[in-house]
Amino acid sequence: MKRTNDGGPRRIVVISTGGTIASRWQGTGYAADASGDDVLATAPLPEGVSVEVVDLFNVNSSRMTSAHQLALLRTVHETFADPGVDGIVVTHGTDTLEETAFLLDLHHTDARPVVLTGAQRPFGTGDGDGPGNLYDALQVAASVRELGVLVVFDGRVHAARGTVKTQTLAADAFSDPSAERLGRVGFSRVDVERLPERPAPLPLPDAALTATPGTPGATPLPRVDIVTHHADGDPLFLKAAVAAGARGIVLEATGAGNATPEIAAAVADAVAQGVLVAVSTRVLAGPLAEIYTGGGAVDLVAAGALLTGTLRAAQARIAVLAALLAEGDGTPDPARRTALLRRLLEGPVRAEPALATGGSRSASAVATRA
């Protein structure tokens, strides 16, 4: 049973990380500075819900780092060590919320929910959406189980996987362009319309135990870069990423996963140097597929890259990062690392119109190959 609210008391922990929901006017623009208690004070509490606040950090989410995200991941696991906690709500900026949500989901082993929310309009504005989103997030956190990490925004409930920011300013900021929403919330009711499809969760990585944002001299985390292909695109930035020490690269290709022969050759060189390469697409919706040669997905996969299914570049980067972090300080094992990334990238199989006969393969089919 995924809906659990029987009217009994629910204890929810709100972890505050900043973002627009906590942003106030600074004279020239808005920046996150309101405390979690200040943010919570703007929203009514659902009936039967008690709330505790953890002020973890307070940043605009465009300044989010992997160290911030791993510190949050550690805090989520520490919070759930208390069996009396029924759920967690994370208030977060919208710019990188999709990345943080996916990282948490990949490592979420608990039946209790983690719900991320935020706002498109700043703290304290008369038409602010933060209070309503926070109320809805608390309602969802108090009402569901076994759904993984969720994004609740503008009355909609989304699975972490596949959900991206699709509106720069509008209130309905998030959706999964390749899937339906998970459910909806309103009038003190949560309706779950489908169940998320998630790979088996990863254990907490060692790096999360020591991650401290902004600490000089901290152990560097794996560098994972995103390189976008475009008309006139060449391998320059992909090679630059390798030269800069990237251990993972996401190539944001065109169409169903296409680039050029020169970029495919650069991918092969990167893979030969132990770099983990994944291929996503600039296109808003739909899976990647091995259809074209001449630098297309057929050649990129032959060069050693993995297609990302329906995951777009930002979340694909998180999958690559998670695969690298799972190695810890042990001896690198490229085959094991690649197999793990393949599993993390696997998504639901969806029927798509074929553009080629015979050998055309969708990303979901490619992901299951040995």
Side-chain angles (χ1 to χ4, degrees), residues 270-324:
V271 171
Q273 295 178 59
V275 179
L276 204 52
V277 180
V279 179
S280 183
T281 175
R282 306 181 334 185
V283 182
L284 184 63
L288 283 84
E290 291 179 66
I291 300 173
Y292 298 105
T293 184
V298 171
D299 297 340
L300 294 171
V301 170
L306 296 178
L307 304 186
T308 64
T310 57
L311 290 181
R312 289 329 186 231
Q315 290 195 336
R317 178 187 171 275
I318 292 297
V320 173
L321 177 64
L324 293 167

Side-chain angles (χ1 to χ4, degrees), residues 11-16 52 54 72-82 85-91 104 108 110 112-117 137-138 140-142 144 148-150:
R11 179 180 164 212
I12 307 299
V13 174
V14 172
I15 303 175
S16 177
E52 301 161 27
V54 174
L72 174 58
L73 175 61
R74 179 182 67 239
T75 302
V76 166
H77 280 240
E78 290 172 347
T79 301
F80 276 146
D82 181 349
V85 172
D86 293 297
I88 292 173
V89 169
V90 178
T91 55
L104 297 180
H108 188 60
D110 203 288
R112 293 168 290 181
V114 177
V115 180
L116 280 80
T117 194
L138 291 168
V140 172
V144 305
V149 176
L150 306 172

